Amino acid sequence: MVLGAAESPVLSFDVGGTDIKAGLVDARGNVLGMRRVPTPLDSSRPGEAVLDRLAELAAELASEFPGSPARAAGIIVPGIVDSVAGVGVYSANLGWRDFPFTAEAEKRLGIPVAFDHDVRSAAAVEHSLGGSREFNDVVVMVVGTGIAAAVFSGGKPVTAGGFAGELGHAQVPDPDASPGGAGSTILEAVGSAGAIAKRYHRASGNRVNGARGVLLRANAGDALAARIWADAVDALAFTICQCVNIIGTEAVVIGGGLAEAGEELLEPLRARVDHILDFQRRPQLIRAQLGQDAGLLGAALNARALLGGKQ
Amino acid sequence: MVLGAAESPVLSFDVGGTDIKAGLVDARGNVLGMRRVPTPLDSSRPGEAVLDRLAELAAELASEFPGSPARAAGIIVPGIVDSVAGVGVYSANLGWRDFPFTAEAEKRLGIPVAFDHDVRSAAAVEHSLGGSREFNDVVVMVVGTGIAAAVFSGGKPVTAGGFAGELGHAQVPDPDASPGGAGSTILEAVGSAGAIAKRYHRASGNRVNGARGVLLRANAGDALAARIWADAVDALAFTICQCVNIIGTEAVVIGGGLAEAGEELLEPLRARVDHILDFQRRPQLIRAQLGQDAGLLGAALNARALLGGKQ
């Protein structure tokens, strides 16, 4: 396949805690040569090890699609990302601190690189194409093993140098607090799919098939499973209401593994949010529409923006 | 005194729950003919009653300063304000719902009117002239009888149609929750100056001279007073950390009556925020510098913007 210059693809890399997804993305958003490889973990040079792997993937894609040289690349990573400076400020899982991704990637790839945050980039695609596109004040939450989020205010992403959107680490009331102690914990420890499975296992001794397994048991009449699911709903609602009160959030898009529960999650969540709020405007709670490729598409859009294309 | 056209003053009205402050504000920010009158409360026509009083004040000021006709007016009010539509969406204390302030005020005053939120307008002045001016991601909290706030993200006010900044109504852990109940309440019920005095009175039976009286007793060794002061600090820190996690707030400006405690408030607040946060950037906690006139100056700046003047 040979593409014209206007349709020239961009390289797109979605670097996750477990896997790297890579592909060439054409101007229509088609992903070519998509592949998935384990993320290299090297505690002494975590950023370099990832970029070395990306360079290998770029070389593979270049030889697989010799007629379609990429003119720019998009790289997205988790953690705290300063996209303006091109720096990976911090990643708890992957281990870097203040690593100059853009500069180091451009050295290896030889083309302009757009470096940004994984969830913010995927959320921008979700927000522009999904159910929240009519709203200006939006939070996109990805609720899976952990919880990540992207915040939009007045239609624009809120970045704060990469420090915004840490909803997974926002405080919520601790359902396991000892009696009499008004303890708090973080949202991720109660409201994530990972936490739901872990808390059920800890309390019952039974291993279940993730949060979905806990929901199935709750539906079958298991009171413990029902309480743990309700704790997660309460914690998610608590954080959503913080967003409503602080920044007037009018729509919350929920993606990630937990969103696969659909209305079994959203319906009690709406009821709980409604219960907590008083005079405030109720936010729309919407299930994310884009799937696993939202990150790759987001990284590609970032790369295409470098080429002067409109997003 | 006669002023040239370029220095022509604007009318400025700061409508509070108890008092209206009014004056002419010249181009240098000097307030002329400043006066303070009770806010009229009329449950059947709350918005109209306030505007009728503003028209009387405007007439008084016009006859006191006949050589300095105002060419625009700024009106600020509490509650939920849609400044773009010129509508007072909701005020719990003053009683209006969806009242068209700008249109009705222009009818009465005969000059262009800038209508906006009291704390957002005062905060914009505080933020542009005070200790937070070097920061882009800022929350200005006014902690008095209640708690109001203005939120800035990327240097711009976050409005969300008037629904942002409701920090006083954001949930916090309830220090009075019954043992075993992980209850929550709202920040205003624990962290405001009003709540500190009220909770101490309720728990001790002793009336004190406001939050300041509670702090004095705490400093004199009263354990109950110390606990109630600490509860307020914990609640304020909890909400500040929500802002940090959600929108990456890098500076929090604290004004209102409680800020008069100065470092006796800010020092334990910094320690508590530091304790709650993990990897996140610590926000600067700064005492507000502008006093009671910040609202009038903010309303005047809004009015001057209508005349094409740069803010």
Side-chain angles (χ1 to χ4, degrees):
Chain A
M1 178 165 52
V2 178
L3 296 174
E7 287 152 342
S8 158
V10 294
L11 268 167
S12 185
F13 300 106
D14 180 357
V15 178
T18 312
D19 288 331
I20 294 171
K21 281 184 274 183
L24 286 165
V25 180
D26 72 16
R28 288 181 204 83
N30 300 309
V31 183
L32 317 174
M34 155 82 163
R35 61 204 62 206
R36 193 171 189 141
V37 301
T39 307
L41 296 173
D42 180 337
S43 58
S44 65
R45 42 195 299 284
E48 290 88 343
V50 164
L51 289 183
D52 290 348
R53 181 62 48 86
L54 299 195
E56 291 164 18
L57 291 164
E60 285 175 32
L61 287 161
S63 63
E64 188 175 340
F65 299 93
S68 310
R71 295 194 298 140
I75 301 174
I76 59 176
V77 305
I80 296 175
V81 170
D82 186 340
S83 58
V84 177
V87 170
V89 177
Y90 176 67
S91 165
N93 294 328
L94 292 169
W96 54 72
R97 280 193 184 270
D98 295 320
F99 183 73
F101 268 95
T102 301
E104 289 295 321
E106 290 184 343
K107 265 192 225 164
R108 285 166 175 80
L109 301 177
I111 50 177
V113 169
F115 172 70
D116 212 326
H117 185 254
D118 55 356
V119 174
R120 278 207 307 273
S121 300
V125 175
E126 173 68 39
H127 179 42
S128 63
L129 301 176
S132 69
R133 63 187 177 280
E134 65 189 287
F135 299 105
N136 282 318
D137 296 283
V138 172
V139 169
V140 180
M141 298 175 76
V142 181
V143 186
T145 312
I147 295 179
V151 176
F152 297 84
S153 168
K156 300 242 174 341
V158 172
T159 56
F163 287 91
E166 290 290 347
L167 268 60
H169 292 90
Q171 302 284 307
V172 297
D174 184 358
D176 298 326
S178 54
S184 62
T185 181
I186 61 172
L187 175 60
E188 208 162 83
V190 184
S192 65
I196 291 171
K198 202 179 297 171
R199 291 185 69 231
Y200 183 80
H201 173 61
R202 207 163 52 204
S204 71
N206 299 322
R207 287 211 175 275
V208 285
N209 183 19
R212 170 179 293 274
V214 177
L215 179 59
L216 285 171
R217 288 186 178 224
N219 288 341
D222 179 336
L224 176 66
R227 182 174 69 70
I228 281 169
W229 186 265
D231 287 344
V233 166
D234 286 357
L236 290 165
F238 186 92
T239 297
I240 288 169
C241 292
Q242 297 289 339
C243 296
V244 170
N245 278 306
I246 296 170
I247 48 173
T249 300
E250 53 183 347
V252 178
V253 180
I254 301 183
L258 201 66
E260 287 166 21
E263 286 299 310
E264 289 193 276
L265 172 68
L266 294 179
E267 202 184 299
L269 196 51
R270 282 188 198 104
R272 184 68 193 155
V273 165
D274 185 58
H275 174 79
I276 294 174
L277 295 177
D278 178 15
F279 58 87
Q280 300 93 331
R281 185 171 61 178
R282 267 47 177 176
Q284 299 291 313
L285 304 189
I286 303 166
R287 185 174 168 182
Q289 294 176 5
L290 299 178
Q292 297 286 327
D293 287 351
L296 273 188
L297 296 179
L301 269 185
N302 298 341
R304 208 161 283 285
L306 287 184
L307 299 175
K310 293 265 160 85
Q311 294 216 7
Chain B
M1 177 164 53
V2 177
L3 298 172
E7 287 154 342
S8 158
V10 294
L11 269 167
S12 184
F13 299 106
D14 180 357
V15 178
T18 312
D19 288 331
I20 294 171
K21 281 184 274 184
L24 286 165
V25 181
D26 72 15
R28 288 180 206 84
N30 300 309
V31 183
L32 317 173
M34 155 82 163
R35 60 204 63 205
R36 192 170 189 144
V37 300
T39 306
L41 295 173
D42 180 336
S43 58
S44 65
R45 42 195 300 284
E48 290 88 343
V50 164
L51 289 183
D52 291 347
R53 182 60 50 86
L54 299 195
E56 291 165 18
L57 291 164
E60 285 175 30
L61 286 161
S63 62
E64 188 175 339
F65 298 92
S68 309
R71 293 194 298 141
I75 301 175
I76 58 176
V77 305
I80 296 175
V81 169
D82 186 340
S83 58
V84 177
V87 171
V89 178
Y90 176 66
S91 166
N93 295 327
L94 292 169
W96 54 72
R97 278 193 185 271
D98 294 321
F99 183 73
F101 268 96
T102 302
E104 289 295 322
E106 289 184 342
K107 267 192 224 164
R108 285 166 176 79
L109 301 176
I111 50 177
V113 169
F115 172 71
D116 212 325
H117 186 254
D118 55 355
V119 173
R120 279 207 305 274
S121 301
V125 175
E126 172 68 39
H127 179 42
S128 63
L129 301 175
S132 68
R133 64 187 175 280
E134 65 190 287
F135 299 105
N136 281 319
D137 295 283
V138 173
V139 169
V140 181
M141 298 175 77
V142 181
V143 186
T145 312
I147 295 179
V151 176
F152 298 84
S153 168
K156 301 242 174 338
V158 172
T159 56
F163 287 91
E166 291 290 346
L167 268 59
H169 292 90
Q171 302 283 307
V172 297
D174 184 357
D176 298 327
S178 54
S184 62
T185 181
I186 61 172
L187 175 59
E188 207 162 84
V190 184
S192 65
I196 291 171
K198 202 178 296 171
R199 291 185 69 233
Y200 183 79
H201 173 62
R202 209 162 50 206
S204 70
N206 300 322
R207 287 210 175 275
V208 285
N209 182 20
R212 169 179 295 274
V214 177
L215 179 59
L216 285 172
R217 287 186 179 226
N219 288 341
D222 179 335
L224 176 66
R227 183 175 68 70
I228 282 169
W229 186 265
D231 287 344
V233 166
D234 285 357
L236 290 165
F238 186 92
T239 298
I240 288 169
C241 292
Q242 297 290 339
C243 296
V244 169
N245 278 306
I246 295 169
I247 47 173
T249 300
E250 53 184 345
V252 179
V253 181
I254 301 184
L258 201 66
E260 286 166 20
E263 286 300 309
E264 289 192 276
L265 172 67
L266 295 180
E267 202 184 299
L269 196 50
R270 283 189 198 104
R272 183 69 193 154
V273 165
D274 185 58
H275 174 78
I276 295 174
L277 294 178
D278 178 15
F279 58 86
Q280 300 92 331
R281 184 171 62 177
R282 269 44 177 179
Q284 299 291 313
L285 305 189
I286 302 166
R287 185 174 168 181
Q289 293 176 7
L290 299 179
Q292 296 287 327
D293 288 352
L296 273 188
L297 295 180
L301 269 184
N302 298 342
R304 208 161 283 285
L306 288 184
L307 299 176
K310 294 265 161 83
Q311 293 217 9

